[in-house]
Structure formats: structure tokens, C-alpha cells
Amino acid sequence: MALLSSLALRAQDVVLISEGNYVRGTIQGTNYASVILKTEDGKVSQYEATKIKEFIWNGQTYVSKPIIIKKKMEHRFFRLLEYGAANLYAIGGTDAGIDEPQPKAAPRVRPSIAIGGGSGGMGGLGGGVGISIGSGRRSEPGKQKQKMPESYFIEKPGTGPMIEIPVEGGNSESKNQHIKNALLQKLTNDEDLAERIKATENFDAKLIRAFVAAYNDMKK
């Protein structure tokens, strides 16, 4: 993480394949299962989430993480929001279309990702993630890229897998209770923060992130 942070200060996007092994260029897009990078010499390469560790796009870090999708272990890129004793990631909520040509001899990937905001169980993506592989077409000029609904995922090392926290779709008693349970399960050993979480009636993305940031500040 420190390596990518230092590289990010030099502008350009970066793909970290392994420790000390990275490639600079311009990220063309991601569907959260793969990412496209164009280098200064014009070479376009596709990197799968199973093959690299992280990438930085427009100053934001995306980390490859294992996750269970339809009872199968796969890897997806998660945007890092908060880092410390507890980590908060996001998937969706950004333009995820790829409108640059794919590398030769590689299939074109069209994002068709549906992020469920339902139960958000342990290690799941709710409605699941689907990646369409096909001929595809380059996006028409001026055509808006597909925007995916956003979900947060919280993890704390040593406390089990990530838990999904739905942040879109409006407030409901069941949704707020699910968010409350997830935060209390991961943000442990802080009685004051736990009381504040329990007393909260409605959660949104900004508040969830604030709770995680406060927890990490207290644990430094």
C-alpha cells in the first residue's frame, strides 16, 4: 500500500502486479474483474483481478480481493475508502464502462454488473456480479458510460470475511439494522463508538465512512 501511495504522487496511473513490479500508464477503465492500462508507447494491456495486487486510477486505489460470488471464490477490484485497523471498500458508484479497444487476441469485456443492496451477507455481493464476454462495441462519442449502484464492504483482519454494507436504495428499518450490525461486528473494543452506532437511526454512505475513519483514528 505504501508503494502505491508513493507512486501516486508522480501522476500517471499505476498497475501493481507484485511487490516492486509495476507498470505506469493511463487506466482506460475497469469492470471490477479486470482493468485496462494504456502505456506511453501506446500499448494496451488487460490485467485480471486474479493476476495483480492493486492499481491506482485518478489517485484512488483499487485493491484485488477474493470474494464469494454464487458460491464460487473469485477476485474483484474494490476501491479503498478507509485503511487502518478496519478497512472500508466500495464497488460500483462510478462510471465503469471501457471505451478503449481491448488488446489483440483478448475478449472484449462489457460491464453488466448488478450489485445487490439486499441482505448483504458474509462475503457476498447481494444480487451478484455478472461479466458479459462478447463482441461488444466501442462506446459512441458522448455516450454516457454505465454507472453501477454502489455498495460498501467492511473488513477487519482476524474477524472473518468482508461484510457488504448497502448504501443505495433508500433507508429502511431492515437496511439500517443490517448496517448497524455490520459496523458493530467489525468496529470492536470501542464502547463510545459502539453506543453512537447503536443510537443512530439512519445511515448513509458519508456517515458509514465517518464511523470507520473515527475508529481507525482511535486505534492509531
Side-chain angles (χ1 to χ4, degrees), residues 93-196:
T94 60
D95 293 334
I98 299 175
D99 58 5
E100 287 290 332
Q102 298 285 339
K104 292 182 179 180
R108 184 176 294 275
V109 181
R110 298 198 312 275
S112 62
I113 305 179
I115 306 299
S119 61
M122 299 291 288
L125 279 177
V129 174
I131 306 297
S132 294
I133 306 295
S135 58
R137 291 185 179 180
R138 181 169 176 165
S139 299
E140 297 175 7
K143 185 176 181 180
Q144 189 174 9
K145 297 178 183 179
Q146 178 181 357
K147 187 172 183 179
M148 299 158 43
E150 185 175 43
S151 283
Y152 281 2
F153 290 80
I154 187 171
E155 72 170 356
K156 183 181 180 183
T159 64
M162 295 188 296
I163 299 178
E164 180 186 356
I165 302 180
V167 293
E168 293 190 5
N171 282 300
S172 68
E173 185 176 347
S174 61
K175 175 183 172 182
N176 285 314
Q177 187 60 51
H178 168 72
I179 294 173
K180 187 176 297 188
N181 292 343
L183 293 175
L184 291 172
Q185 182 175 334
K186 297 299 183 180
L187 307 182
T188 57
N189 301 319
D190 190 322
E191 293 184 5
D192 178 62
L193 189 65
E195 289 303 317
R196 288 161 55 192

Side-chain angles (χ1 to χ4, degrees), residues 17-36:
I17 301 171
S18 59
E19 293 300 330
N21 181 16
Y22 57 89
V23 182
R24 297 179 184 275
T26 303
I27 298 293
Q28 306 298 295
T30 182
N31 60 9
Y32 297 94
S34 63
V35 62
I36 301 296

Side-chain angles (χ1 to χ4, degrees), residues 48-55 62-66 75-78:
E48 305 296 327
T50 55
K51 302 295 185 181
I52 70 173
K53 292 176 67 67
E54 305 171 10
F55 67 87
Y62 291 72
V63 183
S64 176
K65 303 283 295 181
H75 279 72
R76 292 291 182 268
F77 292 119
F78 293 83

Side-chain angles (χ1 to χ4, degrees), residues 1-24 53-56 59 61 80 83:
M1 198 69 66
L3 173 62
L4 273 189
S5 296
S6 63
L7 292 174
L9 297 177
R10 307 177 190 177
Q12 278 193 313
D13 300 324
V14 182
V15 168
L16 179 64
I17 301 171
S18 59
E19 293 300 330
N21 181 16
Y22 57 89
V23 182
R24 297 179 184 275
K53 292 176 67 67
E54 305 171 10
F55 67 87
I56 286 184
T61 299
L80 182 63
Y83 178 74

